[in-house]
Amino acid sequence: MSLPEKPVALLVDKEGDETIALREFLDELGLEVRWAKDGETAYNILDSERVDVLICELRIQRIDSMRLLRVARERNPEVCAVLLATHGEIDLATEAMRQGAYDFQLKPINYPKLAAVIHRGISHQRVVDRVSVMEERLDRKFGISGLIGNTPEIAALASRIRQIAPTSASVLITGETGTGKELIAQAIHHQSRRRDEALVKLNCAALAEGVVESELFGHERGAFTGAVEQRRGRFELADGGTLFLDEIAELSLRIQAKLLHVLQGGEFERVGGHETLRADTRVICATNRDLRVETTERRFREDLYFRLNVVSIHLPPLRERRADIPLLVRAFLDEFNRKHGRKVTGVTRGALRELVAYDWPGNVRELRNVLEGVVVFTEEARPLDVADLPADLTSSAVGTVTLGITVGMTMAEIERRAIQATLRQAGGEKKQAAAVLGIGLRTLYRKIKEYGVG
Ligand SMILES: Nc1ncnc2c1ncn2[C@@H]1O[C@H](COP(=O)(O)OP(=O)(O)OP(=O)(O)O)[C@@H](O)[C@H]1O
Ligand SMILES: [Mg+2]
């Protein structure tokens, strides 16, 4: 949000002659004036629009001006907050300055001085706005937001994304689990001209075949039992925007044919419908399988594969770009310190050596999860050491994990533990975990959702 032509001033004060004079004064300065005579109105205004200037008495009846200041700064960190104080309140006023107030004025109000302070506060915000617009532009030009890494692989990836993003071509993203396929899909959408329209997602593996079809293309009323209303599919919902189809290899051959048809002409029908619909939807697909193998084994249509593979992005596994690990570790430590209120200062050389040496079957996601777990348990301000890292990461004895099952546990709890441990061992690779557990992939998805694991 940038500063509007007419900045908004919020005046919090009880009704009175002085308030009327202040309102007129702010109005004459060219500000859009909002007036709140109680705290609740003030908070509502702060929640509903950007406030550029806040004028409030330091000690105002039944309103905590410090809290108001804090909320105003949360909404707009550069807000020009001026507190009006009396001589006896200088200590409190100094405290308010420490808490981020822009200035305080001793009563009676010196209007020319107040005008100067407000002018300075607003021009300061204009400068900050300009800088952040510039930073955003730089970000668009040189980096892909959220994508961490400085190896040549990541640089090549970033430049490929920049080439691909502005077009409307379908994109196929391949790579092992946790390598960042969804992150890249988001980046492509946000770098494209479609960025203000919807990015709609569908995970093809998580749904039964019939459901996938109506989720994708929608259905007419009465198309099947339970179709009590007409429903628009994700293709329509993403009209003008982007549709991200995750785990595309899980689509049945029949739906693959329907997808190919849409990709060729942009036309489709709802399930149970005869009307031909059109949607201007960009499709981005992802899979962690090798689609070439899937085509030779006739599980994936070759024509669809060729169509999708025109523009493709392959994400290398983390173990093939280990040089990115230190940077990722640093970024994730910062993120989780902030999230969990921790002060972990970094990692020791020994711990970093282990982190770089480990093979990361679950790639960046696994690294991220491991670090979050460790940060949560490290309350002291110190670097992480080898002993802080999970044992199966530092020892080569992978294979036996104890589940901690005791008599009295429900089957559901035992199942939850088994699924969680297996997923962890498989580095988050769901297909592998399902195979180890001897259950279908869809069943695994259902249980992950049911138990909230993963
Ligand atoms: N290069 C990267 N920089 C920063 N974060 C990353 C990077 N790659 C992946 N991540 C993070 O790792 C996690 C997993 O990424 P993502 O969900 O995109 O993986 P995926 O390839 O879609 O995995 P899956 O095949 O299991 O669906 C996310 O939290 C993502 O933000
Ligand atoms: Mg994914």
Side-chain angles (χ1 to χ4, degrees):
M1 257 193 307
S2 60
L3 202 64
E5 271 314 299
K6 214 171 168 183
V8 174
L10 171 59
L11 171 63
V12 187
D13 207 348
K14 53 192 183 297
E15 222 158 344
D17 290 345
E18 195 188 62
T19 312
I20 296 171
L22 254 174
R23 283 188 64 169
E24 275 171 13
F25 161 77
L26 294 171
D27 193 56
E28 274 166 26
L29 282 184
L31 300 169
E32 187 75 47
V33 187
R34 307 274 180 266
W35 170 44
K37 55 181 166 196
D38 54 47
E40 195 183 326
T41 317
Y43 291 123
N44 283 340
I45 293 172
L46 286 172
D47 276 340
S48 60
E49 64 184 316
R50 166 175 162 149
V51 168
D52 309 295
V53 179
L54 171 71
I55 311 276
C56 176
E57 258 187 68
L58 191 56
R59 231 189 262 279
I60 180 164
Q61 258 176 332
R62 283 182 284 125
I63 299 179
D64 180 349
S65 59
M66 290 294 186
R67 182 163 162 240
L68 198 65
L69 171 65
R70 202 172 59 238
V71 175
R73 292 196 69 232
E74 271 165 26
R75 304 289 186 274
N76 174 9
E78 309 300 334
V79 64
C80 170
V82 184
L83 295 169
L84 308 175
T86 59
H87 272 286
E89 296 170 339
I90 292 195
D91 280 355
L92 199 57
T94 332
E95 175 56 25
M97 293 292 288
R98 248 205 307 276
Q99 308 244 344
Y102 194 73
D103 200 5
F104 71 88
Q105 297 267 311
L106 290 179
K107 294 224 251 182
I109 298 168
N110 175 339
Y111 284 100
K113 208 172 145 207
L114 182 57
V117 168
I118 292 175
H119 277 304
R120 191 152 37 88
I122 288 174
S123 60
H124 166 78
Q125 285 181 69
R126 288 202 201 282
V127 172
V128 172
D129 282 347
R130 258 209 308 278
V131 171
S132 59
V133 167
M134 264 151 45
E135 277 174 353
E136 214 173 287
R137 278 198 206 131
L138 282 177
D139 188 42
R140 275 196 213 131
K141 202 161 172 206
F142 300 112
I144 303 288
S145 73
L147 181 70
I148 299 160
N150 56 5
T151 50
E153 286 86 344
I154 292 289
L157 193 65
S159 91
R160 194 156 167 81
I161 291 171
R162 271 191 295 275
Q163 283 173 339
I164 290 173
T167 73
S168 266
S170 322
V171 182
L172 174 65
I173 307 174
T174 56
E176 289 179 11
T177 183
T179 45
K181 295 185 291 299
E182 183 157 351
L183 186 72
I184 299 301
Q186 282 163 353
I188 294 174
H189 175 73
H190 290 301
Q191 299 242 327
S192 75
R193 261 168 283 144
R194 297 170 177 259
R195 75 174 75 92
D196 295 326
E197 304 293 330
L199 168 62
V200 177
K201 299 177 190 172
L202 183 72
N203 184 332
C204 306
L207 303 164
E209 186 192 338
V211 184
V212 172
E213 185 174 12
S214 79
E215 282 295 328
L216 272 178
F217 306 107
H219 61 246
E220 293 298 337
R221 192 167 157 229
F224 46 84
T225 332
V228 285
E229 271 180 0
Q230 183 204 63
R231 235 184 106 182
R232 298 199 301 155
R234 310 266 168 126
F235 255 101
E236 278 181 83
L237 295 174
D239 191 7
T242 308
L243 175 63
F244 176 52
L245 296 179
D246 207 355
E247 315 230 23
I248 182 89
E250 307 303 318
L251 282 184
S252 71
L253 287 164
R254 194 172 63 81
I255 299 182
Q256 287 175 25
K258 216 167 157 176
L259 178 60
L260 179 66
H261 186 73
V262 193
L263 292 177
Q264 279 166 340
E267 292 182 347
F268 61 96
E269 283 103 40
R270 294 200 188 104
V271 175
H274 301 290
E275 190 193 348
T276 299
L277 303 169
R278 291 192 63 85
D280 167 30
T281 304
R282 179 192 208 166
V283 178
I284 302 181
C285 302
T287 178
N288 48 25
R289 299 222 202 159
D290 185 344
L291 282 189
R292 260 167 319 184
V293 174
E294 298 298 306
T295 52
T296 50
E297 294 185 2
R298 307 232 172 271
R299 285 193 298 265
F300 203 82
R301 289 182 69 114
E302 200 168 32
D303 45 8
L304 179 58
Y305 170 62
F306 287 139
R307 166 111 213 157
L308 290 175
N309 201 36
V310 174
V311 178
S312 64
I313 293 184
H314 178 70
L315 300 184
L318 191 54
R319 64 184 171 280
E320 286 176 17
R321 48 184 176 94
R322 293 180 196 270
D324 278 333
I325 293 177
L327 202 63
L328 286 161
V329 168
R330 189 66 256 173
F332 292 147
L333 286 185
D334 287 346
E335 181 188 344
F336 296 128
N337 270 338
R338 239 177 295 129
K339 181 171 165 197
H340 301 291
R342 294 289 185 252
K343 295 184 196 67
V344 173
T345 52
V347 287
T348 62
R349 274 154 152 263
L352 189 60
R353 205 177 315 119
E354 298 288 348
L355 289 167
V356 172
Y358 181 63
D359 259 351
W360 301 109
N363 295 294
V364 185
R365 177 185 294 111
E366 189 185 6
L367 173 63
R368 199 166 180 275
N369 290 346
V370 163
L371 290 173
E372 177 159 28
V374 177
V375 168
V376 165
F377 286 109
T378 310
E379 288 172 24
E380 314 86 75
R382 60 167 175 84
L384 300 177
D385 208 349
V386 181
D388 297 309
L389 303 176
D392 50 349
L393 200 132
T394 49
S395 75
S396 45
V398 192
T400 35
V401 176
T402 330
L403 294 184
I405 294 172
T406 52
V407 175
M409 247 178 209
T410 62
M411 275 313 281
E413 178 58 20
I414 293 169
E415 196 169 63
R416 194 186 67 80
R417 285 179 184 225
I419 288 174
Q420 201 164 30
T422 312
L423 271 171
R424 220 174 144 225
Q425 190 94 62
E429 172 71 75
K430 300 191 184 65
K431 212 178 144 226
Q432 195 187 326
V436 171
L437 290 161
I439 57 176
L441 189 59
R442 282 184 215 291
T443 312
L444 179 63
Y445 268 104
R446 188 165 46 73
K447 290 188 186 291
I448 287 175
K449 214 163 146 196
E450 188 179 325
Y451 297 134
V453 295

